[in-house]
Amino acid sequence: MESQCLKLLTTIFTLLVYVASSSTSCDFPTIFNFGDSNSDTGGLSAAFGQAQLPHGETYFHAPAGRYCDGRLVIDFIAGSFGLPYLSAYLDATGSNFTYGANFATAGSTIRPQNTTLAQSGFSPISLNVQYYQYSQFHSRSQIVRARGGVFRELLPKNEDFSRALYTFDIGQNDLTAGLFLNMSTDEVKATVPQILDQFTTIVKYIYGEGGRSFWIHNTGPVGCLPYVMDRLPITAGQIDSVGCANPFNQVAQYFNQKLKETVVQLRKDLPLAAMTYVDVYSIKYSLIKHARKYGFMNPLRACCGHGGKYNYNRHIGCGAKITVNGTQILLGRPCEDPSVVINWDGVHYTEAANKFIYDNIVDGSFSDPPIPLKMACHRQAH
Ligand SMILES: *[C@@H]1O[C@H](CO)[C@@H](O)[C@H](O)[C@H]1NC(C)=O
Ligand SMILES: *[C@@H]1O[C@H](CO)[C@@H](O)[C@H](O)[C@H]1NC(C)=O
Ligand SMILES: *[C@@H]1O[C@H](CO)[C@@H](O)[C@H](O)[C@H]1NC(C)=O
Ligand SMILES: *[C@@H]1O[C@H](CO)[C@@H](O)[C@H](O)[C@H]1NC(C)=O
């Protein structure tokens, strides 16, 4: 009770200091995003083949480069600033980078993987590669923009790199990459320092190029996702009251605790940066736990998939088809109404769930410091 009171007072104090020092909304002209499928708006699709329907069916009514029926959290974030949805850096066709660029690809990890996409399913566009692309984009966009004409209408201004919001949602695949190699949870935990060292390196590089506002999502409860529960051995005693695989969620929580410490250290090391750590894990877990209260059904069952306990089959994914006697049959079928389902395809969240997550992070109630998204350019007073 006493510690809760103290926490509340600290929060109020932080807010007061913060309101006194800076009450103006941040006018982010651009967003640069780094991540995996949770925020990929077309990177993997552009490079390795399109995410086929029914991906995109709800909102875009066509494939839209997203592993989702509709929009992702990053889409709602862009929308909240009145910015258009981010073009994927790798998408050479029809992209407009005036308001930023998205370097995320589905399957990306923080650490470079030593396997190919075909071998393991993990993207070669790891965080360091995303940074190389960003860095080239930063310098080359200015050379090309100086040519004038249409390039002035496709590329950001130089000052919009330091005024940008830099968003991160990456790390989940570093954990599952280890788990899928049959590493024990302790072995995976032992890789976390190396993963976060790499994260630190990249954030410092971006800061070195003028980045100042960082919005960092932690990783979600992987132990509640069908693709993890279906693929990895779990004993009955390891299932929690919600139905999730507790040991794998513990790995995610361990990563998150260390990520939070990493962000604290980055604040010290990068004196001009505003760094917000966002506890997406708690929102996702609470959504799954209290699904019914929030208007959702069967929180552990994928909307789009093929059979089994979780409507998930590793070999017959969402949108998978077979041809029988010259007729195509859709085996990885979507459910009737994705708007009442949390999990889209066994790996990713539905648009409805993404909207729920966005609604909870936008006001800062799951952030450290507890400031709203539109204030994320203000460095917290110490
Ligand atoms: C890839 O191999 C290098 C060199 O052996 C190693 O240091 C690194 O940890 C490996 N990466 C992963 C993700 O296992
Ligand atoms: C890119 O988007 C911006 C903002 O909507 C717009 O002003 C510009 O005309 C667009 N560029 C092109 C070539 O359509
Ligand atoms: C992990 O263990 C499972 C079950 O024993 C086995 O089928 C699979 O091949 C192993 N995977 C790796 C990458 O060693
Ligand atoms: C495909 O056609 C063959 C020959 O007409 C028939 O025997 C078979 O049952 C058909 N298969 C399916 C799945 O309809």
Side-chain angles (χ1 to χ4, degrees), residues 84 96 98-99 150 153-154:
N96 185 338
T98 306
Y99 295 118
V150 70
E153 289 176 29
L154 288 172

Side-chain angles (χ1 to χ4, degrees), residues 179 183-186 189 221-225 228-251 253 281 285 300 309-310:
L179 294 171
M183 285 166 74
S184 72
T185 54
D186 281 342
K189 284 179 186 172
V222 287
C224 300
L225 297 175
V228 168
M229 288 194 287
D230 178 75
R231 189 158 160 181
L232 295 173
I234 319 159
T235 64
Q238 293 172 327
I239 299 291
D240 70 11
S241 62
V242 175
C244 303
N246 189 44
F248 308 134
N249 281 346
Q250 300 249 321
V251 173
Q253 285 176 349
Y281 180 104
Y285 190 76
L300 301 176
K309 185 173 174 196
Y310 305 110

Side-chain angles (χ1 to χ4, degrees), residues 7 14 32 68 70 118 136 168 179 199 207 218 230 279 305 338 340:
K7 193 173 168 214
T14 308
F32 295 106
C68 181
Q136 280 214 47
F168 295 80
L179 294 171
F199 182 79
Y207 180 86
N218 71 4
D230 178 75
D279 183 12
V340 295

Side-chain angles (χ1 to χ4, degrees), residues 55 172 222 224-230 300-305 310-313 318 342-349:
H55 294 293
Q172 175 176 325
V222 287
C224 300
L225 297 175
Y227 85 118
V228 168
M229 288 194 287
D230 178 75
L300 301 176
R301 212 176 140 74
C303 163
C304 184
Y310 305 110
N311 192 34
Y312 174 80
N313 183 317
C318 176
I342 293 170
N343 195 284
W344 166 240
D345 59 0
V347 185
H348 309 102
Y349 290 75

Side-chain angles (χ1 to χ4, degrees), residues 50 52 54 107 115 118 127 130 134 164 180 185 202 303 325 335 382:
Q50 208 168 45
Q52 297 284 353
T115 57
L127 185 59
Q130 295 183 23
Y134 160 79
F180 292 159
T185 54
I202 301 299
C303 163
N325 287 350
C335 59
H382 286 286

Side-chain angles (χ1 to χ4, degrees), residues 111-114 194:
R111 286 197 305 173
Q113 292 298 304
N114 295 320
Q194 212 186 76

Side-chain angles (χ1 to χ4, degrees), residues 12-35:
I12 290 171
F13 178 75
T14 308
L15 277 173
L16 284 177
V17 168
Y18 155 78
V19 166
S21 64
S22 48
S23 51
T24 49
S25 291
C26 310
D27 201 4
F28 296 118
T30 33
I31 298 174
F32 295 106
N33 181 67
F34 300 81

Side-chain angles (χ1 to χ4, degrees), residues 259-269 368:
L259 175 64
K260 196 168 180 181
E261 290 168 14
T262 299
V263 171
V264 168
Q265 186 59 45
L266 280 167
R267 281 195 197 107
K268 289 183 187 143
D269 294 348
D368 171 41

